[in-house]
Amino acid sequence: MALLYLIPLINPKTLDKPHLPPAAVNFSRRHSSVKPLNAEPKRNDSIVPSAATIIARAEAVEKVEVEDYEKLAKDLQNASPLEIMDRALEKFGNDIAIAFSGAEDVALIEYAHLTGRPFRVFSLDTGRLNPETYKFFDEVEKHYGIHIEYMFPDAVEVQALVRSKGLFSFYEDGHQECCRVRKVRPLRMALKGLRAWITGQRKDQSPGTRSEIPIVQVDPVFEGMDSGLGSLVKWNPVANVKGDDVWNFLRAMNVPVNSLHTQGYISIGCEPCTRPVLPGQHEREGRWWWEDAKAKECGLHKGNIEEGNLKDNANGAVHANGTATHADLFSTHNVFKLSRPGMENLLKLENRKEAWLVVLYAPWCRFCQAAEWSYVELAEKLAGSSVKVGKFRADGEQKAFAQQELQLGSFPTILFFPKHSSRPVKYPSEERDVDSLMTFVNALR
């Protein structure tokens, strides 16, 4: 098992043994000849590269099929976190970055440093983190000589949420909406500039959602710079490592840690949604403690839902009892929520004053979740134009109507209602990036 490989790392006498990757032989910070790319003095506000950079990389890097990563995950099942990290950085270079939350996943940065390879680190600043976490970010930057690439939520979206629901609405209606605005959408922006990302997920963190995470996988939800599902690879180097072993590693390597850990915090998130855990409690009990203990996720790892909780059918996946409890999608003032009568009226009108673009969706569908950012961004581009953007929830009791009258085959289905035609035009492609959707709209409006 991968746990056995931690022993050589915490024993100074074995740090130069030949079984480690060649690039990781020299662990001395003072004598390291490789400087991380993010150690340059100039900060970037976004890790999304320019269009020219994206095109150049797209031409230079060959896509790898899903099956290759399934095989790679099996090959690395018994590998050490250091070996996995080295493999990830070697394979993706500057197109991969470590997602750092300000908690014990600082171990990822230490492993990346030990490889001797250049590496990048990004973090999501929600604007509601603990003061101790911000101080920890600064300590990590100074300790490793790096610049963390911070991603921030959209100010207009945060303002709209707070003005309409207040500062603490998540205590009443669940944390998903707030997390989607402050964390998930900024994460989507970050990942759109990458081909792969590295997370600190472990199987023992949350038995309900993380018990089956692989070492490496094609990300089931988020998109990379090439757009579309399958365009991003997700690495989980410590997936098989126990929490206690991670902490043994951090202590042995004298790595800086968040001071909140000494106050009883284990899993650390935003200040209003995180509290210390009591002796004997699971580490995730300190997150969103007022909610169901089996759903301790913010949306950053949506693909973790166990297959046992879902059943597949031709239109995606639904809960075994037929109900959906996920937070709604496409929630922005630029996307109009349409009711059943509204959709029926659209179908009847032959001479509309404005064209409409409507997505038929289900909140629990991971393909709808993956398309959310692109659709919201498209709605922003079309705001004030001759095209209205809407959404219609087409699962549950509306599913039969959507299949019979709205050409629903699978979720999401996107329809364009031209001004002078009663028949909607179905978007025919699986490519749901903004440029592809805009091309479709421009060809018809």
Side-chain angles (χ1 to χ4, degrees):
M1 294 296 294
L3 301 181
L4 299 178
Y5 287 86
L6 283 171
I7 297 175
L9 294 180
I10 63 176
N11 185 348
K13 295 180 180 181
T14 63
L15 291 180
D16 58 350
K17 294 295 183 182
H19 68 275
L20 294 175
V25 171
N26 184 358
F27 290 162
S28 170
R29 289 190 175 89
R30 291 184 298 175
H31 297 94
S32 176
S33 61
V34 181
K35 186 177 182 181
L37 295 182
N38 54 6
E40 296 301 320
K42 182 179 180 181
R43 279 182 194 264
N44 292 322
D45 293 331
S46 171
I47 64 174
V48 181
S50 65
T53 303
I54 293 175
I55 294 173
R57 288 174 180 169
E59 294 175 347
V61 180
E62 181 180 354
K63 281 188 176 181
V64 181
E65 296 298 325
V66 174
E67 291 78 13
D68 290 337
Y69 288 106
E70 292 177 351
K71 180 179 183 301
L72 183 58
K74 294 179 180 179
D75 293 342
L76 294 174
Q77 186 63 26
N78 295 320
S80 70
L82 180 60
E83 182 181 351
I84 297 167
M85 178 66 73
D86 185 72
R87 189 73 170 271
L89 296 178
E90 177 188 31
K91 195 173 189 66
F92 288 96
N94 197 46
D95 290 336
I96 190 171
I98 296 169
F100 177 49
S101 69
E104 77 274 17
D105 51 3
V106 66
L108 299 175
I109 300 178
E110 178 67 12
Y111 283 123
H113 173 79
L114 292 178
T115 68
R117 298 183 184 277
F119 64 92
R120 300 169 63 186
V121 181
F122 76 92
S123 189
L124 308 177
D125 184 352
T126 65
R128 306 201 73 171
L129 303 178
N130 295 80
E132 292 88 346
T133 299
Y134 289 113
K135 183 178 179 181
F136 180 45
F137 284 151
D138 184 63
E139 291 175 354
V140 168
E141 287 189 316
K142 292 176 179 177
H143 183 81
Y144 291 100
I146 64 175
H147 284 319
I148 298 172
E149 302 172 46
Y150 296 101
M151 301 300 295
F152 303 92
D154 182 84
V156 174
E157 291 186 351
V158 173
Q159 179 177 282
L161 175 62
V162 172
R163 285 185 174 180
S164 63
K165 291 193 172 184
L167 287 168
F168 301 99
S169 60
F170 40 82
Y171 289 138
E172 299 176 0
D173 56 15
H175 69 273
Q176 287 82 7
E177 183 177 13
C178 183
C179 284
R180 186 165 62 251
V181 170
R182 294 181 181 270
K183 299 175 75 173
V184 177
R185 286 177 179 162
L187 177 66
R188 287 189 187 279
M189 285 296 294
L191 297 180
K192 285 293 288 183
L194 299 171
R195 294 188 186 282
W197 62 311
I198 303 169
T199 85
Q201 290 190 105
R202 304 190 320 273
K203 291 179 179 178
D204 68 337
Q205 281 176 324
S206 183
T209 59
R210 301 190 178 186
S211 60
E212 300 298 327
I213 55 174
I215 296 295
V216 58
Q217 63 187 129
V218 173
D219 197 295
V221 173
F222 295 107
E223 301 180 16
M225 64 171 64
D226 291 329
S227 298
L229 287 177
S231 60
L232 185 72
V233 179
K234 186 176 185 179
W235 292 77
N236 307 300
V238 294
N240 294 330
V241 181
K242 299 294 184 182
D244 290 344
D245 291 314
V246 171
W247 276 99
N248 288 337
F249 171 67
L250 295 177
R251 296 186 188 100
M253 303 306 294
N254 196 27
V255 172
V257 296
N258 195 322
S259 62
L260 288 174
H261 290 303
T262 64
Q263 303 174 38
Y265 292 80
I266 301 180
S267 179
I268 300 173
C270 292
E271 187 276 333
C273 304
T274 309
R275 69 179 184 181
V277 297
L278 299 173
Q281 281 188 310
H282 191 274
E283 62 184 84
R284 298 291 281 188
E285 285 298 307
R287 303 288 293 277
W288 310 293
W289 60 90
W290 64 93
E291 295 183 9
D292 184 356
K294 295 181 180 179
K296 302 293 187 177
E297 296 287 352
C298 59
L300 300 188
H301 303 291
K302 290 183 179 181
N304 290 342
I305 299 175
E306 289 186 304
E307 293 296 326
N309 295 330
L310 303 171
K311 67 177 182 179
D312 295 330
N313 62 21
N315 295 300
V318 297
H319 282 74
N321 59 8
T323 63
T325 59
H326 292 74
D328 199 18
L329 301 177
F330 316 112
S331 299
T332 169
H333 64 281
N334 292 318
V335 178
F336 296 90
K337 186 175 183 179
L338 298 172
S339 63
R340 168 75 173 269
M343 292 302 301
E344 291 174 339
N345 286 335
L346 272 181
L347 288 170
K348 293 176 183 177
L349 292 175
E350 294 187 3
N351 290 295
R352 305 178 186 86
K353 294 182 179 180
E354 297 171 308
W356 277 83
L357 185 73
V358 181
V359 60
L360 313 181
Y361 74 102
W364 43 261
C365 171
R366 66 185 179 94
F367 299 104
C368 297
Q369 295 167 2
E372 180 183 26
W373 177 258
S374 295
Y375 196 75
V376 169
E377 186 175 339
L378 178 70
E380 293 174 356
K381 289 180 178 292
L382 293 173
S385 72
S386 60
V387 178
K388 294 288 187 181
V389 180
K391 64 178 184 178
F392 176 67
R393 182 165 177 175
D395 63 341
E397 60 184 16
Q398 303 300 337
K399 185 176 177 182
F401 163 71
Q403 290 175 326
Q404 295 169 11
E405 304 294 335
L406 299 174
Q407 308 176 53
L408 175 66
S410 61
F411 293 117
T413 290
I414 298 175
L415 301 176
F416 186 82
F417 293 80
K419 280 186 178 182
H420 305 294
S421 174
S422 61
R423 182 176 176 81
V425 181
K426 183 176 180 179
Y427 180 60
S429 174
E430 293 295 325
E431 297 294 330
R432 300 188 183 102
D433 59 283
V434 176
D435 291 339
S436 297
L437 291 172
M438 183 61 80
T439 299
F440 170 70
V441 172
N442 287 337
L444 297 174
R445 67 174 172 174

